[in-house]
Amino acid sequence: MSSNDYRFSFGPWNISEGADPFGPNVRPSISFADKLTRYKEMGFDGVQFHDDDAVPDILSKSHSQVMAESREMKKVLDDAGLVAEFSAPRFWEDNDGIDGSFTANDPAVRQRAIDRAKQCCDQAHELGSNMIVLWFAREGTYIREAKNAIAAYDQLVEALDAILDHDPTIEIAIEPKPNEPMDHNYAPSIGHALALSHRTKDPSRVGGLIESAHAILAGFDPSDEMAFALAENKLFSVHLNDQNGLKYDQDKSFGGANLRMAFNQVRILEKANYAATGRWVGLDVKAMRTQKAEVADLHLLNSHKIFMNLVEKVRTFDTEAEAKLIADRNYEALEMLVLDHLMGC
Ligand code: 3MF
Ligand code: MG
């Protein structure tokens, strides 16, 4: 079977320097140019950008300079045979967004965040993409009393509407996550994200990007989160990875903690014929801190391989036996059918 029907992407932050909150970098940093050469070698065609991945020091640059540098980046991508999947405003690295961006208590900060998101739309077009991703990193609180949550939901809708007004074609993918860096986030699930979408002036252009680890952190099954968005035709992208229970956001290799959960994510994408939609399979995975620099991209290769192996597993699953067991309500036998298949028995 060919892997050509799915298109794979990742972001430059997925080739990481191995730091965690308790220690320094353990691998030398790799230049963006060097990272780009790895994409094709590893079977990836799509690059996911933060606005400042494409244009470093973006906050110190004028709009026209940001556009010029984005056009240069598009040429670099063209030369490498790569495509930009999206751009995402990286609010959370900016001191301005210390108390949130769209939901900051300071109205001037909220306005600057909206302006940055609008610029991000312009940049996405220059890069050859029609989508921005909004991970609402600091749109939440450490303590409930710090903000008025009702006002915050209104502010999120206002921001989405302002972006939609600014750009008549852009698609916005909200990437839900329940916590980290905040204690509680205002868009912890795809249900929240799509409810906000329905309050905007053009819900057809506001969808979701489901990250496996984020769903697990919220206590949900990632495949069900994907299904919710798919049922509304609003799964704009995915960030496949894995997560070993309720901890910090681990971004483990896809299937590395729970192979069956990974199988179910692939199964739901296959059921929806996701590949045929042309949407990307993004892998938001990080190398383990212990990996030496020479082998610090195995997490991407492995995740890609696991995904393709699971596509094969889904496509070769005995659906006749499955249908019989469902009709007979014999779910113990159905479970064993799945596990035997995954174990190759
Ligand atoms: C955080 C994330 C983010 C987003 C990225 C694109 C840094 O948990 O998953 O990765 O995926 O900002 O929106
Ligand atoms: Mg992500």
Side-chain angles (χ1 to χ4, degrees), residues 95-340:
N95 276 336
D96 201 30
I98 198 164
D99 189 30
S101 306
F102 299 137
T103 66
N105 280 324
D106 179 348
V109 172
R110 296 204 295 274
Q111 187 54 52
R112 283 197 291 272
I114 289 172
D115 292 342
R116 183 167 175 180
K118 288 179 180 173
Q119 174 172 267
C120 191
C121 298
D122 305 344
Q123 178 190 48
H125 292 306
E126 294 294 357
L127 291 170
S129 163
N130 195 36
M131 186 163 88
I132 64 165
V133 169
L134 297 179
W135 167 43
F136 291 144
R138 296 189 196 278
E139 314 301 3
T141 55
Y142 296 113
I143 57 165
R144 300 289 80 67
E145 300 85 354
K147 290 181 185 173
N148 173 349
I150 298 172
Y153 289 118
D154 289 343
Q155 286 156 359
L156 288 173
V157 174
E158 275 162 32
L160 292 166
D161 275 342
I163 300 165
L164 292 169
D165 267 346
H166 170 76
D167 188 319
T169 65
I170 200 80
E171 288 184 326
I172 303 170
I174 299 174
E175 181 175 347
K177 183 176 180 183
N179 62 285
E180 196 199 41
M182 308 309 285
D183 184 9
H184 285 286
N185 188 289
Y186 291 132
S189 72
I190 191 65
H192 289 77
L194 296 190
L196 290 169
S197 160
H198 283 288
R199 289 183 57 201
T200 67
K201 43 184 57 162
D202 191 354
S204 72
R205 291 197 283 133
V206 185
L209 178 159
I210 306 291
E211 172 160 330
S212 326
H214 297 178
I216 297 166
L217 283 170
F220 298 137
D221 181 281
S223 74
D224 282 347
E225 287 281 277
M226 290 174 191
F228 190 88
L230 287 164
E232 292 213 27
N233 203 16
K234 289 222 178 101
L235 188 63
F236 289 179
S237 190
V238 291
H239 268 176
L240 301 184
N241 56 18
D242 215 339
Q243 172 73 27
N244 195 8
L246 298 181
K247 303 179 169 147
Y248 62 97
D249 182 8
Q250 294 185 299
D251 296 337
K252 289 165 85 78
S253 289
F254 183 54
N258 192 330
L259 196 57
R260 187 169 172 195
M261 223 178 222
F263 169 75
N264 278 311
Q265 291 169 68
V266 177
R267 178 175 171 271
I268 210 74
L269 294 176
E270 282 278 292
K271 275 199 184 301
N273 217 354
Y274 183 81
T277 66
R279 301 273 183 195
W280 294 87
V281 174
L283 291 163
D284 197 357
V285 290
K286 296 250 170 62
M288 290 181 225
R289 184 170 157 81
T290 44
Q291 284 302 96
K292 293 178 184 160
E294 317 83 82
V295 285
D297 46 21
L298 274 178
H299 60 303
L300 286 157
L301 278 168
N302 293 348
S303 297
H304 182 281
K305 184 172 178 204
I306 290 166
F307 183 91
M308 288 316 301
N309 285 344
L310 288 173
V311 170
E312 186 68 17
K313 284 288 173 190
V314 172
R315 291 183 182 172
T316 57
F317 189 57
D318 185 346
T319 47
E320 266 179 44
E322 176 191 46
K324 279 195 193 121
L325 292 171
I326 291 171
D328 192 30
R329 213 170 4 101
N330 190 346
Y331 298 154
E332 294 288 357
L334 176 59
E335 176 155 87
M336 210 52 210
L337 188 72
V338 172
L339 292 175
D340 274 345

